[in-house]
Amino acid sequence: MPPTRVCIIGSGNWGSAIAKIIGKNVQRSNRFDPIVKMWVFEEIINGKKLTEIINKDHENVKYLPGHKLPHNVVAVPDTVEAATGADILVFVLPHQFISRICDQIAAHMKPGAFGISLIKGVDEGPEGLKLISDIIREKLKIEVSVLMGANIASEVADEKFCETTIGCKNEKHGQIFKELMQTPNFRITVVDDCDTVEICGALKNIVAVGAGFCDGLNFGDNTKAAVIRLGLMEMVAFAKLFCRGSVSIATFLESCGVADLITTCYGGRNRKVAEAFVRTGKSIEELEKEMLNGQKLQGPQTSAEVYKVLKQKNMVDKFPLFASVYQTCYEGRVVQEFISCLQNHPEHM
């Protein structure tokens, strides 16, 4: 059997952190080709191309400074060149770019290739919300699994212990992904409830914006705990409304659910920017440019996509926290009114 070739599509902080793990793991295994291609959106940093810096110094100085990438991770600026010949594609880039990237590489898929999405977000489809994995599936005609969890990229790169969840219907692929990405400090659980795993990864960013509003308003830990609990209730209710097939409550107890929700509401960029939104009075767009060094914010955009679906289904009043985050970010609702979505929350959803 020829060795399995791996390609990572994306190279932000999370993409670079996972490249560090994958690069080391493929060297230890007989299954994989040792060279891992990583598609990098080309940028000029201090007069040099980012791909050249990564390939010479083995460090993504823009998005994951201070961490050495394994020498077998090769930065490639052309998507087609990176993806051609790959057996496994690992997608880890802002969800806004996924459609365009898939269109570029669709004609170059190797027969039998399969993928995994680490992208936390949703897209807008003609019938409302669309999962990122579905976009990849439809455009590339490959099987796609998902990985979501309480995984702040810098902590994963620092090799601090954490857990993560892979949603995968193909048992064989689940084992391959585990071999590709698991380490003693990055522990993976595989479940087959893919849609729920993925929707958790998107929705928790909306709740984190609410948690950031709390911090900006100095509401304290009790109020923030209420945001997290009520947010989790809305996540479960929305998953039941949206996901195909049955939704297992047990999935919400995996890392992709409650753990990711907690870590994002205390750390993470959505919470941080939402707090600054309250304290500075600047727009989300301004703060994204000022605070995120080229990274993208997912929470506000996801709230807009979710709000559209709730409006179509005439269910906005059943999701007061999700609705309040959207209205505050985009419709000029006064952030000080955020507390009312907690005070008037339905007890049972």
Side-chain angles (χ1 to χ4, degrees):
M1 286 285 287
T4 302
R5 287 187 186 173
V6 181
C7 168
I8 301 168
I9 302 285
S11 58
N13 65 339
W14 188 209
S16 299
I18 211 71
K20 191 177 169 188
I21 289 176
I22 289 173
K24 285 179 181 173
N25 278 359
V26 299
Q27 290 174 313
R28 297 189 187 115
S29 165
N30 296 327
R31 184 194 295 273
F32 303 104
D33 188 294
I35 298 298
V36 176
K37 288 183 182 175
M38 176 171 75
W39 172 67
V40 174
F41 176 75
E42 192 68 278
E43 297 176 68
I44 302 299
I45 313 287
N46 299 327
K48 291 182 181 173
K49 290 180 177 176
L50 182 55
T51 51
E52 287 174 5
I53 296 169
I54 293 171
N55 290 334
K56 182 173 171 283
D57 301 332
H58 308 289
E59 184 182 346
N60 188 334
V61 290
K62 178 159 186 186
Y63 296 108
L64 198 69
H67 289 279
K68 288 294 179 188
L69 296 174
H71 287 212
N72 59 321
V73 174
V74 178
V76 179
D78 181 79
T79 41
V80 171
E81 188 190 330
T84 299
D87 299 288
I88 297 176
L89 294 132
V90 180
F91 294 91
V92 52
L93 67 164
H95 81 270
Q96 298 91 317
F97 307 128
I98 193 66
S99 283
R100 192 175 78 227
I101 295 297
C102 285
D103 288 341
Q104 288 170 7
I105 64 175
H108 305 275
M109 286 295 94
K110 188 173 176 181
F114 55 98
I116 187 163
S117 170
L118 280 62
I119 300 167
K120 292 179 177 177
V122 284
D123 205 34
E124 206 185 319
E127 281 89 50
L129 219 61
K130 207 166 172 62
L131 294 174
I132 301 302
S133 62
D134 283 337
I135 295 172
I136 300 169
R137 247 177 235 118
E138 286 166 19
K139 287 184 176 286
L140 302 186
K141 309 287 185 282
I142 61 172
E143 268 191 56
V144 184
S145 302
V146 295
L147 181 149
M148 306 281 150
N151 309 138
I152 289 174
S154 58
E155 294 184 14
V156 173
D158 283 335
E159 298 181 22
K160 292 177 178 171
F161 178 82
C162 66
E163 301 176 305
T164 200
T165 313
I166 288 180
C168 180
K169 296 209 180 296
N170 183 317
E171 206 175 310
K172 186 180 159 209
H173 289 177
Q175 287 314 306
I176 293 170
F177 289 133
K178 227 173 164 174
E179 193 179 327
L180 184 63
M181 288 185 272
Q182 183 159 267
T183 74
N185 286 325
F186 190 65
R187 197 175 78 171
I188 294 171
T189 303
V190 181
V191 301
D192 66 2
D193 192 4
C194 302
D195 288 0
T196 308
V197 171
E198 187 168 5
I199 205 77
C200 279
L203 298 177
K204 56 94 195 184
N205 283 327
I206 306 177
V207 186
V209 174
F213 290 163
C214 270
D215 291 339
L217 295 162
N218 298 315
F219 279 167
D221 287 340
N222 294 341
T223 311
K224 195 156 154 181
V227 168
I228 292 169
R229 188 188 79 81
L230 295 169
L232 181 61
M233 283 174 67
E234 291 194 16
M235 285 168 64
V236 172
F238 191 88
K240 287 179 176 172
L241 184 73
F242 173 77
C243 292
R244 299 158 292 205
S246 63
V247 168
S248 168
I249 296 301
T251 305
F252 289 89
L253 300 178
E254 295 290 350
S255 182
C256 62
V258 69
D260 197 9
L261 178 61
I262 291 166
T263 200
T264 311
C265 287
Y266 280 91
R269 66 189 88 150
N270 289 281
R271 187 218 62 79
K272 188 170 141 188
V273 172
E275 180 181 359
F277 175 82
V278 179
R279 296 199 193 278
T280 65
K282 293 178 180 176
S283 73
I284 291 287
E285 290 76 16
E286 283 176 279
L287 291 166
E288 186 180 59
K289 283 192 185 82
E290 277 177 30
M291 296 173 69
L292 295 184
N293 188 31
Q295 292 173 274
K296 292 292 177 192
L297 206 60
Q298 307 292 4
Q301 199 172 339
T302 304
S303 78
E305 282 142 6
V306 164
Y307 189 79
K308 269 186 204 133
V309 172
L310 295 176
K311 219 163 177 191
Q312 280 169 1
K313 295 184 183 286
N314 208 17
M315 294 184 83
V316 169
D317 57 336
K318 294 206 178 341
F319 293 83
L321 195 149
F322 286 177
S324 183
V325 167
Y326 165 74
Q327 289 158 351
T328 306
C329 288
Y330 293 110
E331 291 192 344
R333 182 174 176 169
V334 181
V335 73
Q336 283 72 15
E337 288 178 13
F338 182 67
I339 192 76
S340 67
C341 81
L342 310 177
Q343 293 165 330
N344 305 317
H345 206 282
E347 281 185 38
H348 301 288
M349 297 192 73

